[in-house]
């Protein structure tokens, strides 16, 4: 507030003081201008147990910002202790992207493939076939999409599930799942995260008698 030429100021530790105008200098945008409800932010307070955690802004008042963390905890943080995550998390992912979950739940660290995006939540198929929906901010990109990583006719090895250890050839790539024809002729569809490309030697790629073009 402003009273008789003095300005009321809320410091970063929430202490409230009154000082003459000549003792103040503008520092840019206020909290309401910089942090809009729904924005994704990261807590930057080395003295707090929440340091480094990510959440979304739920309200702004007198320079303090209300934040709901990924685990559901609701905290109030001074503006100066927040970092705005400029790019909305949901805009970072597309169907077929390979992702890693970053959450405080039991699936933390699990890998999977994006299957869909709706209202800020991302559908993910984990490497074991489990399908879940999580907030976009609980995901981190972890490399190439299925379409980028595997091409039709590529030789691959299955890393998990009933066919773990078996090899085959890619027959199709659709919505983050890869169609594979195993050596015994069995056709299966698996998430990209369950596959590893098999590097072939020149002898394997070009058996004697193979027609080639220079």
């Amino acid at each position: 507030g402003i009273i008789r030429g003095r300005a009321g100021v809320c410091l970063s530790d929430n202490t409230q003081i009154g000082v003459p105008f000549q003792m103040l200098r503008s520092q840019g945008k206020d909290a309401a201008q910089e942090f809009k409800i729904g924005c994704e932010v990261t807590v930057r307070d080395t003295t707090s147990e929440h340091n480094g955690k990510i959440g979304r802004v739920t309200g702004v008042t007198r320079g303090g910002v209300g934040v709901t963390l990924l685990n559901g905890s609701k905290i109030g943080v001074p503006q100066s202790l927040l970092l705005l995550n400029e790019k909305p998390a949901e805009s970072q992912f597309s169907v077929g992207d390979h992702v890693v979950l970053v959450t405080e739940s039991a699936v933390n660290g699990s890998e999977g493939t994006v299957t869909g995006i709706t209202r800020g939540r991302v559908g993910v198929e984990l490497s074991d076939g489990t399908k879940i929906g999580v907030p976009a901010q609980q995901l981190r990109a972890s490399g190439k999409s299925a379409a980028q990583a595997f091409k039709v006719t590529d030789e691959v090895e299955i890393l998990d599930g009933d066919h773990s250890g078996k090899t085959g050839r890619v027959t199709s790539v659709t919505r983050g799942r890869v169609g594979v024809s195993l050596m015994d002729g069995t056709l299966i569809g698996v998430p990209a995260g369950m596959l590893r490309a098999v590097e072939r030697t020149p002898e394997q790629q070009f058996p004697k008698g193979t027609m080639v073009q220079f």
Side-chain angles (χ1 to χ4, degrees), residues 115-170:
T115 58
I117 303 173
T118 305
R119 295 179 181 178
R121 292 185 69 85
V122 182
V124 177
E125 182 167 351
L126 303 181
S127 58
D128 64 1
T130 301
K131 295 181 179 180
I132 61 175
V134 297
Q137 62 266 33
Q138 292 188 10
L139 297 174
R140 295 292 179 271
S142 86
K144 295 181 179 180
S145 67
Q148 294 173 314
F150 303 105
K151 305 297 183 184
V152 173
T153 73
D154 281 355
E155 186 174 344
V156 293
E157 179 184 355
I158 313 298
L159 301 178
D160 200 1
D162 295 338
H163 301 289
S164 179
K166 295 182 180 180
T167 59
R169 291 195 179 278
V170 174

Side-chain angles (χ1 to χ4, degrees), residues 42 50 53 62 64-65 69 79 93 115 127 184 193 198:
T42 300
H50 302 302
K53 294 185 178 179
R62 293 187 179 181
V65 182
L69 301 177
Q79 173 191 0
F93 305 107
T115 58
S127 58
D184 62 6
V198 176

Side-chain angles (χ1 to χ4, degrees), residues 1 18 44 87-88 139 141 149 154 165 174-175 193 195 202:
R44 294 300 188 203
K87 188 176 181 181
L139 297 174
D154 281 355
T174 305
R175 292 181 62 84
L195 296 176

Side-chain angles (χ1 to χ4, degrees), residues 7 54-55 63-64 67 86 88 93 98 100 127 144 148 177-178 185 188 192:
I54 296 173
V67 178
E86 296 288 351
F93 305 107
H98 193 204
V100 175
S127 58
K144 295 181 179 180
Q148 294 173 314
R177 291 185 69 85
V178 181
I188 61 174

Side-chain angles (χ1 to χ4, degrees), residues 33-105:
Q33 292 175 312
E34 184 169 4
F35 300 105
K36 305 296 184 182
I37 291 177
C39 287
E40 183 179 300
V41 293
T42 300
V43 179
R44 294 300 188 203
D45 182 3
T46 57
T47 65
S48 169
E49 61 179 326
H50 302 302
N51 185 48
K53 294 185 178 179
I54 296 173
R56 288 196 179 276
V57 173
T58 56
V60 181
T61 177
R62 293 187 179 181
V65 182
V67 178
T68 297
L69 301 177
L70 298 185
N71 62 5
S73 298
K74 296 181 179 181
I75 62 175
V77 188
Q79 173 191 0
S80 59
L81 298 180
L82 289 176
L83 174 65
L84 181 65
N85 297 347
E86 296 288 351
K87 188 176 181 181
E90 51 265 41
S91 70
Q92 300 178 26
F93 305 107
S94 301
V95 172
D97 283 354
H98 193 204
V99 293
V100 175
L101 277 89
V102 182
T103 173
E104 296 184 0
S105 70

